Structures are given as structure tokens and as C-alpha cells.
Amino acid sequence: MRRILVLLFALLSVSWMSPAAALDPSRRLTQFKHTAWTVDDGAPSNILALAQTADGYLWIGSLDGLFRFDGVTFERVELKGGETSIWSLLAARDGGLWIGHASGRITVLNHGLETDASLPSSKFPVIKLVQDRSGDVWAQLGTFFHGLARFHQGKWTEIDARWGLNSRGYFDTLATADGRILVVDRIGIHVLNPGSHRFVETDIKPGEKTSFGLATSRSGEIWASETDVGVRKISTPVADQKLHLVGTPIQGTIGMVLQRVIFDRDGNLWGVAKGAGVYRITPQILAQGAAGTLPAKTTVERFATTDGLSSNSALPIFEDREGTIWVGTVRGLDRFRATNVAVEQHLPPTTEGHLTAVDHRGTIYVLDSNNLYRMHADGSPERLLTNLKGPQTLCESNDGTMWLTTYDEMYKSTGGPFTHVPRVGGTHNSYLDCVADPHGGLWFMRVANGFLHYARDGTTTDYPPPSGVKSEGPNIVTFDRQGRMIASMGHSSLVRIDSLRIHPLWNVKVDPKRRIVSLYQGARDLLIGTAGGLARMRDDHIAQLGARFPWLQSATGIVETPQGDTWLFAKKGVARVRTAALAQAFETKSAVLPHELFDFRDGLDGVSRVGESPSSVLRAADGKLWFRAEDNLFVIDPARLVRNTLPPPVSISAILYSGHRIRDPQNVSLPKATSAVQINYSALSLAVPERVQFRYRLEGVDADWVDPGSRRQAFYSNLKPGTYHFRVIASNNDGIWNRTGASLEFTIPPTFLQSWWFVALCILTMIIFLWFFYQMRLRQIAARVRAGMEVRLAERERIARELHDTMLQGIQGVIMRFQSVADKVPEDGQVKGLLEDALDRADAMLVDGRERVLQLRSEGGEDDLEKVFSDLGTRSTLDRPMDFKVTVLGHPRALEPAVREETARIGDQAIANAFQHSGGSAVRVIISYSEDALGVTVSDNGVGMPDGRDKTAIAEGHFGVLGMRERAERIGATLNLFARRAGGTEMTLNVPARLAYKNAAGEGSVWIRVRDRLGFDGFRAR
């Protein structure tokens, strides 16, 4: 039983994926940037498997379930059946994630869809899943019986004695790049060659109480890590020769249990072991072991909880596509990645900082509180002096001599050992720094102000503080290209000292932000580091960059390189700029200054040291840059900067709305009434996810790309119903953009109140209401007009009655009196004839008056207008012969009395005007009975009426046209009078149907409209 438990926990690992950027094998394991996530950070515990799918997600299998990690957030992925114990993972080449469960189930997750791919009736944990060169998947099971199976062409096959293997448990399974399958059991290693269906044994036999791990490098080498033996290389396959172990075992791993091993892209062998943490073996040691030339006391690098590992009980180890190493432990997840900044770890720790110097050969010297070291190219230190008391200065004179002063001693070296010499200035002077002048001498700056000059011939000269200096002496000194001394006086002013006389160059006392912290004489200009930014002196003129580039503030160290770069150690980190671009920034205020900033995310551990010490940046002979921080040293190799050239895969991980969440959405339809959404996205660059930058855009909402920086959520509110297209792109930590990015289309259906047909219904309802109110208004106007016309009709009837009862009756009486008188006049007299003639004229007038009274009371008939106009035309032609014609369009309808009367009077006047004033030969009258209006048109072919004639006619005492307009206004009609283009004058009168016709909205009105449209009885002319 104990062997079974050891086996179940011993054989957990994951497939290896091809990375794309290099780890530096020359660095120590502790010099990699290490990050740990524990349960407190949201990471799962008891991690058993790691894998990375093609979309960039890091998948984590644990006893707590399945998780995916984007470098920032751990996200639990729920699987069918609610099973949480995941023992193995495989990222297949088709993009699917194979998942081995503790229950024996095997499922495949692809694009969010989970399918079952379990072995028939398997109940044993799936320890490991690997994929061979042909694409077949091999499953290693936690059982001593039929513990290996192959998934080929959609079916599982148990690997048993027919394949040359007996039923036994397996330690490890390995698929090589050349198509072989290697399995390890308690008997030995067995190999299945490409195209074969039978495993062959090897000469490699595991120990009795051991665990065994296999790993293959990019070059095809296979190495075995065994608890009782160590790490050894397996021989290269040769025809008719069994595989065997070669070389000398690397015994630094002996005793480690449950080993998992992988090769990184640079040939380093990484391993994890229960209780032992992480170990790494470099290619140099591996080569020595394979050749049998391994030194007896070879050590293996280790990284444990004392170094920051989340737990020493590490299980899976994995290298991702960017070359980052991941380790799963019982307490969380750990990451190891290459950085461009390597903290110096060969020197013993110190709490008092360091002094550094470089000689003319490019050799770096480091001075701590007790010792002086010379640093070799491989980073190893050589101790030159020890037991020093109060080291103060370290510098080189122009003749190549390195000088060291302590509190009470002085040493020098011309390339060999340091020798003791008498201390210049005695034992009572404390020095801030020393600097060489162009003439071979040394200048020592005293703490108590002033200088001590040590000439090449050994003579010393003690100089008091320069003239004009009271309390603030020189604390930073350099020499310009002309050999003149330039000094910072108390960090507050810049001066030139010539023959110990001060020439002020720049006073910064008025602005504490410009406090001077460094001086560097470059190839052309003097660069000045200040608390507020970088300044430059050229030809005694000071130029400042100011606050435009805050990452240049407090640059305590500056160095120019032959490659055309300027490096600065400033408050925010180490900045790298092109020297030409920096010069252009001083010349042009609007110039941009591209730069690269290295900070704690690049391995920088410490801040620049601001004080009286010399420059904090030195360049070694091999081109490496040494930086001095407050309590440590670190190195950057410009020739070996780690670059991430892989564009990051971009993923839209979720869309959230109204408290709901959809994971990995693809063209989703959201519920109705959704107005606010949150879209979560990610870029799967796991090396430095904090530096990943995003741009996103919601088409139709965002006018341009939105720059959220490193934020991984987009928020939208007040969204209207419709289909939206969201796009997001991202760049990795080195600014390499994935311009394709990811996209999401989502639809918000309209509610009933937001639908187009509801809007159409509202518009239709509004039109109906407007039509209704319009009709009501027309009815009100018609009623008002009818009321007015009824009043006028009543008034006419009253006048008719009065005329009939008074004037006509009176005239009738007068006529009768005159008739009685006439009857008494003799017949033969002249008077008799005159009276009879007068009486005849009076009778005619009476008849005419009665007709007029009858017209006042009469309501007319359907054909009144036609008859009236025809009679008038007939009478008019007697006095002035003209071609006269009346045409009726539509079916004549009964008119309102007032409308009929006023229309007749208007037509009478228009016809009379045509006969009397047109001078033409024809008059036409058209009466139109339409469903919308009553129309009357009177036209002639005469001389026409000049513009404005109706107004001049009024001035001349003619009121015919004015009367026509007044009559039209009284019945709500429209009257137009204009000259025709073909000659003559035309008058048009239009009376709305509701005002003109009796019962316009009553029964039969629809039939009338239809009849008029069909033309029945619709045309008549006279």
C-alpha cells in the first residue's frame, strides 16, 4: 500500500511546450525574478498539474478543482459532475485541454465545450497525459493493472502484454520529439519506437526504493533523475543497442523524492521534489556529467522556502511559451522568469552599502565596510583587502594607479596587490571622495570643506575652502573636457574652480527641486542630475528638461556607452535613452524622448543612493553596467537584454450584466432591458502582466480607441437596444502589439416599449390624435363659420321681411294711389301717358324688388351656381358678345345657403369684370365639386390684370375685388387673382368641403367620395 501511495503522488507532471525567449543560464537560480501566489492571493492549494493552451491561459489542476490564470486573476472553471480533484492536464496541439480526474474520468475542454473521453470502466486516477508526435494521447493511470492506455483514432487501447508490457504501475511516461514513447516502471525503462506496437526493454533498472523522472531537451537528449542515484544521461539510440545510462551521476539530487524534471530552452535541467523545493542544473554541469568529468563536490542550485518558495512540497514544474518557469506546490503557485537586472549575490550582505570604482581596464572594484573586492567577468569576487577600518574613498589616478583611503590608512595598486602607503594629509582628515585631474594628480574632498591635492610626484598641498565658500563646500567634483574643475557646492550651486577661485555657473538654491545629485562629463556635454530632472551644460550655458520626463528625476549615476545609449540610475529606476535623442530633447521642447525603464518588475531591488558618494553607475570592460543602490549592487548586460518578441494572445474572458456573468462569451444575446455591461478581457503575456497595455473600442459608442492602460475591464452604461461589436488589442511587457486582438458581438433585444413597431404604433397613435384634433378644429371652424352664415342668413331674412312688409308694401300702396289718380286723368291728355309710363316703370321696379327679396330668403338648389353663372353670361353677351362657357366637374352637391350665396356673388363679380374689363373674346367658368373642396375658376383671354391692380382700383373708387375677398373671407374660403402666362386673368375660389357642403360628414359622404373618384356623373359643361 505504501508503494501505491508513493506511486500515485510521484508521477504527476505535464507536457512541455515550446517557449520563445531565453533564460540566461549564467545566472544563479536566486537571481531570477521570483513571484509566489498562495491561498491568501487567491491561488489554489495542492496543485498537481500545469498546462498552457494555445490561447495563452495557464491551466492549474489541483485537489481544489480546475483553475485558469491570466497572470493577474485565478478563475475557477466548473466542470460537469462537480468533480474537483484534477490530477493531470495536457494541452493538445489542436487547442483542446485534456483533463485527468482522480475518479479515472478523462474530459476534453475546447472553446468552452466539455466532452467526455474517458477510458471504458476506468476508476483509477489519471496520473499523466502525454501526446506523441502522431497526435495520439497516452494516459498513465494510478494502478498496477493495465496502467497505460493509448487514444488512437477516437478509441482507447489498453497497453498490456501484447505490447510487451506486463501489468504493473508506472513511474513516468515521456514522448520524445523523434516519436518514441518511454515508460518507467519498477523493473526498468521501456521504449516504443515509431511505427512499432511492442515496447523493448533497456539496460536501465531503477532502484528498489526510488522515484524516477524523465526529461528530454530540445536537442533530443534524454536524462533520468532517480532518488537513489541522481541525474544521469541516457544513451543516444543506436540500432540493435539497448538504451543505457552514460557518464557520471550528478548526485546533488540524491535523496529527493517525487522528482519531476524538465529542460528549459537554454538546456538547463529544472526539477522539483517533495520537501526539497526547486533545483536547477546548468548545461555546463550536465555536459561534465555526460562526459564523466564531473568534479567530486559539484553542487546543485536549490530554491526553497527560505528563498521565498511558497512551499518545499513542490509537485508539477512547467515552462510556458515565453520561457517562464512555473512551479505548483501544496500552498500555491510560483513563477521564475529572466530579468534584465541581476542583483549581485556573490558578495556577502552588508548594511552599510558599498563604494564602487572602475579602472582604465574596465575592472570593477567594490568596497564594503571591511573588505575590498575585484570583480571578475563571471561575477565572482576576488577579495583583495580585509579588516579595513572605515573605508572612505576609492579612485584611480590617470597613471592607472588605484587608490584606497580608510579612516587611518591608505593603499595603492598598479594592477597587482594593494600595498600600504603613508596616508596623505595625515590621519585626522576625513574625505568624501577623490577624483583624478588630467595632470595625474588626485583631489581629495574633505568632509570639513576644502581640498587636499596629491601631485604625481608625491607632494601634497592642503587647500582651505575656496574663496567665497563659508559653510557649503564642494561635495561632487569632475573635470570638463578642457581639464577645468567643475563642482557642486553643497548640492545647491554649480561652479567652476580655477586656481581655487570660484566662477558661478548655476545657482539652484532658490529651487530645492533642482538640488544637484550627480555630475557626468560625457563625450560632448556635462550632464547634471538634479532632484527635479536632468540638466546639461554646453559652453557654460545650462539647459533643463524640467518636469517633462519625471523618470529622469534624481539621477545619481549617468554613463554613456559606445553603442550610442545613455544610462541613468534615477528615482524611478534605471532609464535607457538614445544619446542623440537626449540631445534633441534639450534642443527642442516639443521633442519626445523614447526610453526604456527598468524597475522592480525587471529585478531591480533597491533605490538610487543620494549623497556625497561618486557616480552610482559604472561600465565594465565586458560592457556590463554596475549600479550601486542603498544596500546592494546590481548588474545589467546591454548585450543580453531579455526581449519578449511574442505578441500576447488576447481573450475576452467574461461579460457581466445585472448580476449575471457569461464566461468566454461568443456572439451572445443579452436579456431585454439590459443597459449596462462590464466586459472583462485579458492578454495572456504571463511574464510581466503588470506591463501589458490595452486598447479597446465599442463600435457605435466609442469614437476612437480607448486607452485604459493596464486595466482589464471595460464599462458601458445607457446602452440602447441593438447589436454591438467590441474589440480589444494588447501589447506585451516589451511593447509588442497584437493588432488583431479579440472581438465580441453582443445583442440587446428591445423590450416592448423599445421595439420598432411600438415606436411605429406610437407614431400612428400620434398621427391619429393629430388627425382627430385637426378634425375637431375643422369642425369648430366650420361650426363657427356656419353660425356666422346662419346669423347673416337670419339677418337677410329679417331684412327681406322688413323690405316686404314696409318698403315694398309702401311702394305698392303708392303705386295704387298713383293708379287711382291716373284713372281720373283724361285719356286724351299728355299727362295720362306720362303717368302710365311712370306706373309701368314702378311696377317693373316692384317686381325686381320682390325678386331681390325672394333671393334674400331663398336657399337655392344643387344647380343654382351653374344656372346663376349661365344666366349672367347670357345676359352679358347681349351687351358684349363673347364666347362664354360653364363647365361642372364632379357631382353637384347641396351647398350651405351662405356659401352658395357668397360664391354666386363672387362669381357674378368675376364674370362681370371679365366682360367689362378684359377686352378678350372668351370667358370660361369651371365649377368643381370635389371631396375636399368646392372650387370656382373664372378665366378670360384678355389683356390681363397688372400686378397690384386690386390695390390701385380701391384708390380709384372701385371696390369689386375687395368685395370678392371680403366675401371669401366670411365663408372661410381662399381667393386668388392673378394674370395668366398665356394671357388674360384668372380667379380661383376654394371653399373647404366641411364649410361648403351640407352634411359633409354625414351619411353618404363616403359614397360621394367614391362616386367622385370613379367619375360617375362627374363631368358636365354648358
Side-chain angles (χ1 to χ4, degrees):
M1 177 61 69
R2 183 174 177 270
R3 284 289 301 267
I4 295 176
L5 293 178
V6 170
L7 178 67
L8 294 180
F9 283 96
L11 308 176
L12 303 172
S13 67
V14 295
S15 61
W16 176 81
M17 295 184 65
S18 296
L23 297 175
D24 186 353
S26 68
R27 292 187 183 178
R28 289 185 174 184
L29 179 56
T30 52
Q31 288 180 309
F32 290 171
K33 179 66 175 179
H34 169 254
T35 307
W37 292 269
T38 65
V39 177
D40 295 335
D41 304 308
S45 61
N46 297 302
I47 297 176
L48 304 180
L50 297 171
Q52 187 179 33
T53 47
D55 58 9
Y57 277 106
L58 181 70
W59 293 85
I60 305 169
S62 73
L63 297 181
D64 298 330
L66 180 66
F67 294 78
R68 69 178 185 182
F69 185 50
D70 63 358
V72 176
T73 304
F74 293 91
E75 180 184 2
R76 178 186 292 272
V77 179
E78 300 294 339
L79 299 175
K80 295 178 181 178
E83 190 172 353
T84 59
S85 186
I86 308 301
W87 283 48
S88 58
L89 296 172
L90 166 65
R93 289 192 287 271
D94 63 358
L97 179 69
W98 289 64
I99 306 167
H101 299 256
S103 64
R105 293 177 61 239
I106 297 177
T107 57
V108 181
L109 193 63
N110 203 339
H111 299 293
L113 180 64
E114 181 184 0
T115 57
D116 192 285
S118 300
L119 284 82
S121 66
S122 174
K123 299 181 180 179
F124 300 100
V126 183
I127 301 297
K128 188 172 184 179
L129 294 164
V130 299
Q131 188 174 31
D132 63 21
R133 186 177 63 180
S134 65
D136 293 345
V137 175
W138 296 74
Q140 178 184 325
L141 307 178
T143 175
F144 287 112
F145 304 98
H146 305 296
L148 191 65
R150 182 181 74 154
F151 188 77
H152 175 69
Q153 295 182 353
K155 295 181 179 180
W156 284 104
T157 302
E158 292 184 352
I159 307 302
D160 51 20
R162 293 172 297 178
W163 291 71
L165 294 178
N166 295 322
S167 300
R168 57 176 69 91
Y170 299 99
F171 288 107
D172 201 2
T173 303
L174 178 69
T176 63
D178 59 5
R180 291 178 296 160
I181 298 293
L182 280 73
V183 295
V184 187
D185 61 15
R186 54 190 174 89
I187 295 178
I189 295 180
H190 309 267
V191 180
L192 179 68
N193 292 313
S196 175
H197 287 77
R198 190 171 185 84
F199 282 84
V200 295
E201 293 187 358
T202 67
D203 289 337
I204 305 171
K205 309 297 180 182
E208 184 64 27
K209 297 180 179 180
T210 188
S211 61
F212 212 105
L214 297 174
T216 179
S217 67
R218 281 194 167 186
S219 63
E221 293 182 351
I222 301 175
W223 287 71
S225 179
E226 188 177 359
T227 303
D228 299 337
V229 179
V231 176
R232 294 188 69 179
K233 181 182 177 182
I234 297 177
S235 63
T236 303
V238 178
D240 300 327
Q241 183 178 351
K242 293 183 178 181
L243 294 181
H244 58 278
L245 298 174
V246 298
T248 304
I250 303 171
Q251 299 180 349
T253 62
I254 291 180
M256 296 184 183
V257 182
L258 308 178
Q259 299 179 65
R260 320 288 180 275
V261 286
I262 64 168
F263 275 92
D264 68 21
R265 64 196 57 196
D266 295 307
N268 297 283
L269 181 70
W270 294 70
V272 292
K274 183 178 180 181
V278 179
Y279 64 88
R280 187 185 75 144
I281 304 175
T282 64
Q284 179 182 3
I285 296 177
L286 292 173
Q288 292 173 341
T293 59
L294 189 70
K297 295 184 178 180
T298 301
T299 59
V300 173
E301 291 183 282
R302 295 190 181 183
F303 195 96
T305 54
T306 54
D307 303 300
L309 194 68
S310 61
S311 172
N312 281 338
S313 295
L315 297 174
I317 185 167
F318 172 75
E319 184 185 28
D320 69 14
R321 61 192 290 271
E322 295 173 304
T324 303
I325 301 295
W326 298 86
V327 176
T329 73
V330 297
R331 294 197 66 246
L333 182 68
D334 293 77
R335 178 182 66 189
F336 297 87
R337 63 178 175 85
T339 60
N340 289 313
V341 180
V343 177
E344 166 53 48
Q345 295 183 346
H346 295 85
L347 295 171
T350 178
T351 59
E352 299 182 14
H354 302 85
L355 286 177
T356 55
V358 60
D359 63 16
H360 66 284
R361 294 178 294 269
T363 303
I364 300 295
Y365 292 85
V366 178
L367 181 65
D368 64 18
S369 58
N370 296 292
N371 308 282
L372 176 65
Y373 301 91
R374 179 189 291 124
M375 307 303 297
H376 295 287
D378 61 358
S380 62
E382 176 189 0
R383 182 179 294 174
L384 302 177
L385 295 173
T386 188
N387 296 322
L388 299 175
K389 297 180 180 179
Q392 293 182 349
T393 66
L394 181 65
C395 60
E396 183 189 37
S397 59
N398 282 358
D399 61 0
T401 302
M402 185 65 67
W403 298 85
L404 166 66
T405 62
T406 67
Y407 175 76
D408 56 359
E409 294 178 317
M410 190 169 186
Y411 301 86
K412 73 173 184 178
S413 170
T414 57
F418 275 77
T419 59
H420 184 274
V421 295
R423 191 178 192 274
V424 296
T427 60
H428 302 291
N429 286 310
S430 294
Y431 302 120
L432 293 174
D433 194 10
C434 64
V435 61
D437 64 25
H439 310 294
L442 290 176
W443 292 81
F444 292 89
M445 288 168 283
R446 291 197 188 98
V447 174
N449 296 336
F451 294 96
L452 179 69
H453 183 253
Y454 183 78
R456 177 181 296 181
D457 60 4
T459 59
T460 60
T461 305
D462 193 5
Y463 293 98
S467 175
V469 176
K470 296 182 179 180
S471 59
E472 294 184 341
N475 59 310
I476 305 175
V477 174
T478 189
F479 286 86
D480 63 17
R481 294 182 62 81
Q482 289 75 38
R484 299 172 297 183
M485 181 183 289
I486 307 296
S488 164
M489 309 299 287
H491 299 288
S492 60
S493 62
L494 186 69
V495 301
R496 180 187 301 116
I497 301 177
D498 186 12
S499 300
L500 294 184
R501 298 185 63 85
I502 292 180
H503 303 278
L505 298 173
W506 189 29
N507 186 359
V508 296
K509 287 185 178 180
V510 296
D511 187 358
K513 293 182 179 180
R514 291 188 293 177
R515 183 172 182 261
I516 298 173
V517 297
S518 66
L519 298 175
Y520 176 77
Q521 178 59 54
R524 179 178 180 182
D525 303 319
L526 178 71
L527 297 178
I528 308 164
T530 74
L534 194 64
R536 181 192 72 180
M537 186 177 76
R538 177 184 291 180
D539 300 329
D540 293 345
H541 174 71
I542 304 295
Q544 303 178 66
L545 293 181
R548 283 193 292 157
F549 310 109
W551 41 271
L552 290 176
Q553 294 175 353
S554 299
T556 61
I558 307 170
V559 65
E560 293 177 354
T561 66
Q563 291 74 29
D565 295 323
T566 298
W567 295 76
L568 307 97
F569 188 17
K571 181 170 63 176
K572 292 185 178 294
V574 175
R576 177 194 190 189
V577 299
R578 298 296 295 172
T579 303
L582 182 62
Q584 183 63 33
F586 279 110
E587 298 294 335
T588 308
K589 290 185 178 181
S590 60
V592 296
L593 186 55
H595 70 286
E596 186 174 8
L597 186 66
F598 303 88
D599 56 17
F600 68 94
R601 289 166 289 198
D602 299 285
L604 181 61
D605 185 15
V607 295
S608 61
R609 184 174 183 175
V610 179
E612 287 75 21
S613 54
S615 175
S616 60
V617 183
L618 300 175
R619 182 175 180 273
D622 57 4
K624 294 181 180 179
L625 303 177
W626 288 70
F627 298 84
R628 186 183 68 254
E630 284 284 354
D631 53 3
N632 59 20
L633 301 172
F634 56 90
V635 180
I636 295 178
D637 188 353
R640 298 202 60 174
L641 293 178
V642 177
R643 298 300 186 193
N644 186 355
T645 60
L646 296 177
V650 183
S651 171
I652 297 177
S653 57
I655 182 170
L656 293 82
Y657 62 94
S658 305
H660 300 279
R661 183 176 185 272
I662 301 176
R663 183 169 64 88
D664 298 333
Q666 294 181 357
N667 301 332
V668 299
S669 179
L670 302 181
K672 297 177 181 179
T674 300
S675 62
V677 298
Q678 173 185 329
I679 302 175
N680 294 350
Y681 48 82
S682 184
L684 285 309
S685 177
L686 305 182
V688 194
E690 302 85 359
R691 282 188 175 156
V692 172
Q693 297 293 302
F694 295 92
R695 304 283 188 277
Y696 66 78
R697 182 181 183 185
L698 184 61
E699 295 179 2
V701 176
D702 297 322
D704 201 354
W705 289 94
V706 178
D707 183 2
S710 59
R711 178 165 52 84
R712 299 183 176 224
Q713 302 87 24
F715 304 92
Y716 291 96
S717 59
N718 300 321
L719 295 178
K720 298 179 180 180
T723 298
Y724 295 90
H725 190 76
F726 178 80
R727 285 193 60 203
V728 57
I729 59 176
S731 69
N732 66 9
N733 55 298
D734 281 323
I736 304 300
W737 283 89
N738 179 345
R739 298 289 180 182
T740 302
S743 61
L744 168 66
E745 185 176 281
F746 63 94
T747 301
I748 302 177
T751 62
F752 171 75
L753 298 180
Q754 295 172 324
S755 62
W756 67 266
W757 50 271
F758 175 77
V759 175
L761 182 61
C762 291
I763 295 174
L764 179 60
T765 302
M766 183 178 297
I767 291 174
I768 291 174
F769 272 107
L770 291 175
W771 179 84
F772 173 76
F773 287 119
Y774 173 72
Q775 295 296 322
M776 290 293 294
R777 180 59 178 165
L778 286 182
R779 290 176 181 272
Q780 291 175 354
I781 295 174
R784 188 180 303 117
V785 172
R786 287 194 183 95
M789 290 190 294
E790 289 174 358
V791 170
R792 288 193 293 273
L793 182 59
E795 180 64 16
R796 290 171 59 182
E797 291 177 349
R798 185 190 65 80
I799 293 173
R801 288 194 300 270
E802 291 296 331
L803 289 175
H804 180 272
D805 295 340
T806 58
M807 186 180 71
L808 292 181
Q809 292 295 337
I811 293 174
Q812 181 67 33
V814 172
I815 292 174
M816 292 178 67
R817 292 290 302 270
F818 272 98
Q819 185 64 47
S820 62
V821 173
D823 290 341
K824 294 179 180 181
V825 175
E827 293 290 339
D828 54 355
Q830 185 178 3
V831 175
K832 180 71 172 179
L834 294 174
L835 285 176
E836 290 293 340
D837 184 58
L839 288 172
D840 291 339
R841 294 177 65 88
D843 288 337
M845 290 177 60
L846 182 60
V847 171
D848 185 64
R850 289 184 184 275
E851 291 179 357
R852 294 293 183 180
V853 170
L854 180 61
Q855 289 179 357
L856 286 176
R857 298 182 63 92
S858 174
E859 296 185 0
E862 291 185 353
D863 57 350
D864 277 354
L865 289 181
E866 181 184 2
K867 183 177 183 302
V868 168
F869 296 154
S870 297
D871 291 346
L872 179 59
T874 301
R875 291 195 302 269
S876 298
T877 56
L878 297 177
D879 297 331
R880 189 183 299 274
M882 294 181 70
D883 182 15
F884 179 77
K885 186 177 182 180
V886 178
T887 301
V888 178
L889 301 179
H891 186 76
R893 299 173 59 177
L895 305 177
E896 292 288 346
V899 172
R900 181 195 59 77
E901 184 64 25
E902 297 295 351
T903 301
R905 292 288 178 262
I906 293 172
D908 286 350
Q909 183 64 51
I911 294 171
N913 288 342
F915 274 93
Q916 295 176 14
H917 305 296
S918 69
S921 60
V923 177
R924 297 289 184 265
V925 178
I926 300 175
I927 305 171
S928 173
Y929 295 94
S930 70
E931 62 182 35
D932 299 321
L934 169 67
V936 176
T937 301
V938 179
S939 61
D940 60 61
N941 60 352
V943 296
M945 184 179 71
D947 294 339
R949 174 57 184 166
D950 53 344
K951 296 181 180 180
T952 59
I954 294 174
E956 296 172 358
H958 301 286
F959 298 95
V961 175
L962 177 61
M964 294 165 62
R965 294 190 185 280
E966 291 175 346
R967 289 178 184 274
E969 183 179 352
R970 281 199 296 268
I971 60 174
T974 301
L975 186 140
N976 293 305
L977 192 65
F978 54 89
R980 299 171 62 189
R981 290 185 179 180
T985 303
E986 182 172 302
M987 183 280 299
T988 60
L989 176 71
N990 283 284
V991 187
R994 291 187 172 276
L995 302 177
Y997 305 140
K998 285 185 177 181
N999 301 322
E1003 296 182 1
S1005 59
V1006 175
W1007 159 245
I1008 292 172
R1009 294 189 183 118
V1010 172
R1011 184 185 62 186
D1012 288 349
R1013 286 186 179 275
L1014 295 177
F1016 297 144
D1017 198 17
F1019 179 84
R1020 183 174 57 190
R1022 291 189 59 176

